[in-house]
């Protein structure tokens, strides 16, 4: 699978059979050529953004990876999942990326589970050259509309921080993101962006690389923050960060690695090597979702907003209602049970796991039950296997304690719903 992402003027005159192409920030007006973030560069300039070439090229790289991830179907690969993707990315300063080619390929393999070959070439779009002063903010925090990012914003505010919130537009969460940013005092500087990837043909639904657009947006937003280096907070609970496979068939990228500490570490190494003054932080990597709720620094505010947040992996499928049976929903339910301070008023299609119907897709409640039974019968280490091989000895102990607590939270939910 071959994909080319460059500025319009650097697209090849003819595409080889099976080759896909995307134009950055402008429509090529050619059949078979997709578009990424049409008109976005001009919008950024009007808003005063003037990122460094290094930060801008990182954003272009992230968007190109997202385009390839969407356009290359897993169903056409030999095993129905693992793809071999050759991606050519037009950059403003491609020579700076040459020493990081292999590292970037390995990083993407961790994220998506595919084999990547990257080519960095001339042909990227130059950075926008806006003329606005830095914003009076001291960090960047991702704001998705989910419960974890809500807690992250509340905690930063309680600590006296002044975060600039960044969101990736999602039709079902866009207003919620704006409401949270305004409630947390960051409405005026809140940035909501979309990768705007459009092309003809079928889209790959697994979207393992989608989070890269979010990280690219965060780095771009950091270019408007006066502090150096800029801390970028990724508020995700540790259980989902590590995302241990509940059953042996969900190893590697079959379980998402959006905020996996190994991936975030490799991402940080790339940014540092490129000279981008940004520091990614996983503040809750050693906390379960239940512990995040229990330890949130403004309990009153959290009680007001917590049930409004979204967690469901199938939120759009179920017409913007939590399904109640996917892994994120189960972790959400178990977290509310652990919190013990408020009845979970979230609307679920399946309020009880025992009454949920597996009509299609993976049987997540059964997988959770098997995970709990494995821990009971054979111990936590047998269940985890090599899950924590990435961590240092000290961190491994902290991750293990967090995962043990996370399994206990799930077990409590399964008991409450009569599955165990």
């Amino acid at each position: 699978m071959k994909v080319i992402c460059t500025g319009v003027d650097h697209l090849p005159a003819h595409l080889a059979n099976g080759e896909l192409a995307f134009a950055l920030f402008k429509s090529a007006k050619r059949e078979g050529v997709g578009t990424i973030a049409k008109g976005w560069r001009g919008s950024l300039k009007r808003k005063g953004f003037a990122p460094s070439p290094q930060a801008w090229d990182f954003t272009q790289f992230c968007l190109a990876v997202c385009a390839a991830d969407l356009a290359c179907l897993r169903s056409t690969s030999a095993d129905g999942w693992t793809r071999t993707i050759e991606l050519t990315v037009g950059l403003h300063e491609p020579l700076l990326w040459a020493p990081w080619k292999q590292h970037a390929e390995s990083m993407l393999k961790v994220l998506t589970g595919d084999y990547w070959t990257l080519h960095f070439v001339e042909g990227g779009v130059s950075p926008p050259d806006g003329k606005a002063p830095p914003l009076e903010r001291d960090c960047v925090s991702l704001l998705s509309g989910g419960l974890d990012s809500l807690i992250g914003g509340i905690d930063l505010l309680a600590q006296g921080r002044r975060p600039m919130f960044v969101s990736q537009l999602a039709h079902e969460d866009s207003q919620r993101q704006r409401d949270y940013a305004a409630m947390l005092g960051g409405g005026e500087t809140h940035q909501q962006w979309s990768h705007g990837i459009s092309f003809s043909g079928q889209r790959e639904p697994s979207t393992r690389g989608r989070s890269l657009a979010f990280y690219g947006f965060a780095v771009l937003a950091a270019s408007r923050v006066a502090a150096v280096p800029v801390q970028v907070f990724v508020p995700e609970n540790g259980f989902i960060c590590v995302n241990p496979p509940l059953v042996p068939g969900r190893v590697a990228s079959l379980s998402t690695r959006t905020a996996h500490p190994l991936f975030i570490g490799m991402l940080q190494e790339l940014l540092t090597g490129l000279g981008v003054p940004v520091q990614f932080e996983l503040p809750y990597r050693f906390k379960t979702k239940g512990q995040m709720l229990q330890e949130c620094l403004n309990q009153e505010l959290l009680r007001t907003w917590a049930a409004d947040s979204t967690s469901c992996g199938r939120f759009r499928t179920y017409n913007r209602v939590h399904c109640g049976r996917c892994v994120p929903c189960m972790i959400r339910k178990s977290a509310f049970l652990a919190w013990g301070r408020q009845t979970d008023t979230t609307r679920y299609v399946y309020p009880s796991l025992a009454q949920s119907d597996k009509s299609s897709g993976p049987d997540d409640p059964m997988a959770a039950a098997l995970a709990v039974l494995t821990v009971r019968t054979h111990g936590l280490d047998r269940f985890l296997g090599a899950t924590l091989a990435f961590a240092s000895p000290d961190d491994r102990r902290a991750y293990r304690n967090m995962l043990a607590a996370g399994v206990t939270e799930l077990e409590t939910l399964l008991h409450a719903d009569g599955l165990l």
Side-chain angles (χ1 to χ4, degrees), residues 396-418:
R396 194 172 303 153
R397 191 176 302 108
Y399 282 122
R400 188 185 183 282
N401 291 338
M402 175 274 297
L403 293 170
V407 171
T408 298
E409 289 180 11
L410 277 175
E411 183 174 10
T412 301
L413 171 67
L414 295 173
H415 273 296
D417 281 5

Side-chain angles (χ1 to χ4, degrees), residues 34-319:
T35 306
I36 300 174
K38 180 182 176 182
W40 189 47
R41 181 187 178 279
S43 172
L44 291 170
K45 179 178 179 179
R46 291 189 293 275
K47 290 183 177 180
F49 281 85
S52 68
Q54 298 95 319
W56 180 244
D57 273 349
F58 176 76
T59 304
Q60 294 191 99
F61 165 72
C62 291
L63 292 174
V65 170
C66 287
D69 183 51
L70 280 172
C72 296
L73 300 179
R74 293 189 183 276
S75 60
T76 62
S77 62
D79 64 357
W81 181 261
T82 310
R83 302 166 294 186
T84 300
I85 301 174
E86 185 175 344
L87 174 61
T88 298
V89 186
L91 298 174
H92 186 58
E93 294 182 340
L95 291 179
L96 186 65
W97 285 68
W100 294 96
K101 168 183 159 65
Q102 186 175 357
H103 178 87
E105 291 169 347
S106 299
M107 180 186 78
L108 294 182
K109 189 174 189 307
V110 169
L111 179 63
T112 73
D114 304 302
Y115 293 95
W116 293 79
T117 300
L118 299 172
H119 305 291
F120 304 122
V121 300
E122 297 282 350
V125 178
S126 60
D129 54 351
K131 306 295 183 185
L135 296 171
E136 292 301 317
R137 298 283 154 174
D138 62 9
C139 61
V140 169
S141 189
L142 304 189
L143 186 67
S144 66
L147 182 54
D148 289 4
S149 69
L150 171 64
I151 293 171
I154 291 174
D155 283 351
L156 285 172
L157 199 66
Q159 292 162 0
R161 304 298 297 269
R162 290 172 292 120
M164 179 180 182
F165 294 108
V166 178
S167 301
Q168 185 164 205
L169 276 168
H171 295 302
E172 59 272 18
D173 274 329
S174 297
Q175 185 58 52
R176 182 173 287 105
Q177 293 165 353
R178 290 190 286 272
D179 291 343
Y180 290 179
M183 177 267 294
L184 294 169
E188 291 183 1
T189 60
H190 179 213
Q191 304 299 325
Q192 283 182 302
W193 290 319
S194 169
H195 57 54
I197 296 170
S198 63
F199 60 96
S200 59
Q202 189 176 349
R203 290 190 167 214
E204 167 55 42
S206 61
T207 60
R208 288 297 188 260
R210 185 174 182 268
S211 61
L212 260 185
F214 214 165
Y215 297 139
F217 295 157
V219 167
L220 185 67
S223 70
R224 289 293 308 278
V225 174
V228 177
V230 183
Q231 287 179 293
V232 173
F233 291 95
V234 182
E236 188 76 84
N237 71 83
F239 200 90
I240 288 294
C241 282
V242 176
N243 209 2
L246 297 178
V247 292
R250 296 187 178 190
V251 295
S253 63
L254 293 174
S255 293
T256 56
R257 292 183 165 184
T258 295
H260 195 283
L262 175 61
F263 168 69
I264 295 296
M266 297 179 78
L267 186 68
Q268 182 63 59
E269 190 176 350
L270 174 64
L271 288 166
T272 301
L274 294 172
V276 180
V278 162
Q279 181 65 46
F280 274 83
E281 307 281 358
L282 288 171
Y284 303 108
R285 66 191 183 280
F286 301 135
K287 302 290 183 183
T288 67
K289 203 181 197 81
Q291 290 167 343
M292 287 179 67
L293 284 164
Q294 292 166 347
E295 298 172 15
C296 180
L297 297 177
N298 188 330
Q299 290 287 310
E300 182 179 355
L301 192 59
L302 183 60
R303 280 194 293 272
T304 301
W305 292 89
D308 170 75
S309 63
T310 59
S311 300
C312 183
R314 299 165 192 160
F315 200 60
R316 185 176 298 179
T317 304
Y318 284 95
N319 197 27

Side-chain angles (χ1 to χ4, degrees), residues 12-45:
H14 303 283
L15 296 175
N17 187 35
E19 197 169 42
L20 304 171
F22 289 86
L24 288 160
F25 314 121
K26 190 183 293 186
S27 174
K29 299 180 180 179
R30 281 172 51 184
E31 187 177 352
V33 177
T35 306
I36 300 174
K38 180 182 176 182
W40 189 47
R41 181 187 178 279
S43 172
L44 291 170
K45 179 178 179 179

Side-chain angles (χ1 to χ4, degrees), residues 147 293 306-307 332-340 342 344 346 348:
L147 182 54
L293 284 164
R332 177 189 179 91
K333 285 179 171 181
S334 65
F336 272 103
L337 283 177
W339 192 17
Q342 160 180 329
D344 185 1
T346 307
Y348 296 107

